[in-house]
Amino acid sequence: MILAAGRGERMGDLTINTPKPLLLFKGKPLIVWHIEKLVAAGFEEIIINVSYLSEKIKDYLGDGSKWNIKIIFSEENPVLETAGGIKKALPLLKSDPFIVINSDIYSDINYADLRELNFSECIEAHLIFVENPVHNKTGDFVLSQGGLVINEGENKKTFSGVALYRPIFFEEIPKNEFIRLSTVLKNKADKKLIKGKIFNGLWIDIGTPERLNSQVSL
C-alpha cells in the first residue's frame, strides 16, 4: 500500500493544484518511483489511498497497466490520516503481512528485501529506520539490541515511512475515524509488538519545498 491521501500543506503553493504524490523529483512524480521499484521487486498489486485532488492521481496512474501492475484506489472523504486510511483499505489488502510506504519519501531501499524479513508469531509490525536527518534530530523510537521497538530511551532513530504490518495491527482501530499511525505505533511499542531494523542507504523525506529541490545534490 502507498499512502497518498494527504494535503501536503508544508509544500505551500506547490500543492494547491497538484497533489503531493505527483510532484516531480528527479524527473518523475514521487509516487512513480515507488511504483517502479515495487514492480521491479516482483509485486503485482498496489493499493493507493487518495483524498486530496484524488481525481488527478487516479487519472495519472490509471489502473497501473502502463507499469504492468494492478493499482486499486481506496478513496477517503474526508481524509482519515495514516492509520485510519490503512484501516479503511484493509479489505483490499490480501497479504499477511503487507508493505506500507509513504509516497513522499525517496530512497534506495530494496522493496524485494522486505519479503525476507523474519516475522515471529508475537510481532505485528516491522519498521525500517534511518539515521536521524537534520529535521528530526531527536528521532522517533529506540531500537533494542534484539531489534525491539521501544518508546523511551537514548539514541532514538527515525522511522523511514516504510514498514510491514500484519492486519491484526489495525484490528482494534475503529473504522472511518481520523487516526494517526504514530499514535498506534506508540501504543503497540508499549506492548512490545513491533520490531525494526536500520537502513543505512539513501533516504530523504520530501516534506518541504527545500527538500524537494535538494534533488540537485543527489
Side-chain angles (χ1 to χ4, degrees), residues 24-160:
L24 295 181
F25 186 80
K26 295 182 68 176
K28 293 179 187 177
L30 284 166
I31 198 168
V32 171
W33 287 106
H34 299 297
I35 292 171
E36 291 181 346
K37 287 175 62 179
L38 288 167
V39 171
F43 290 89
E44 298 177 351
E45 186 171 286
I46 304 172
I47 309 302
I48 301 176
N49 71 327
V50 291
S51 183
Y52 177 70
L53 298 178
S54 60
E55 291 304 317
K56 290 193 174 184
I57 297 176
K58 291 162 63 178
D59 288 346
Y60 187 90
L61 300 180
D63 61 2
S65 56
K66 68 177 76 172
W67 294 279
N68 197 30
I69 196 167
K70 183 178 181 180
I71 291 177
I72 299 173
F73 294 100
S74 176
E75 297 201 47
E76 300 171 22
N77 185 19
V79 67
L80 298 173
E81 250 293 345
T82 40
I86 298 170
K87 174 71 174 188
K88 184 178 189 298
L90 275 184
L92 303 173
L93 292 158
K94 301 171 184 177
S95 60
D96 181 3
F98 55 86
I99 298 171
V100 176
I101 302 164
N102 288 358
S103 64
D104 58 354
I105 62 168
Y106 177 86
S107 78
D108 55 11
I109 295 172
N110 186 343
Y111 295 152
D113 291 345
L114 300 179
R115 293 181 167 185
E116 307 303 319
L117 291 176
N118 185 25
F119 256 89
S120 63
E121 288 292 329
C122 60
I123 295 299
E124 295 184 5
H126 197 119
L127 277 54
I128 305 300
F129 288 87
V130 295
E131 296 296 338
N132 298 334
V134 293
H135 54 84
N136 192 41
K137 292 181 179 179
T138 57
D140 301 313
F141 296 95
V142 176
L143 275 177
S144 73
Q145 286 189 341
L148 201 64
V149 174
I150 303 169
N151 282 316
E152 302 300 332
E154 298 181 355
N155 197 26
K156 289 184 176 182
K157 304 298 182 183
T158 293
F159 174 40
S160 71

Side-chain angles (χ1 to χ4, degrees), residues 188-201:
K188 296 287 186 174
D190 278 339
K191 297 177 180 179
K192 297 181 171 55
L193 294 173
I194 309 175
K195 279 201 162 186
K197 66 179 295 186
I198 287 284
F199 171 72
N200 292 310

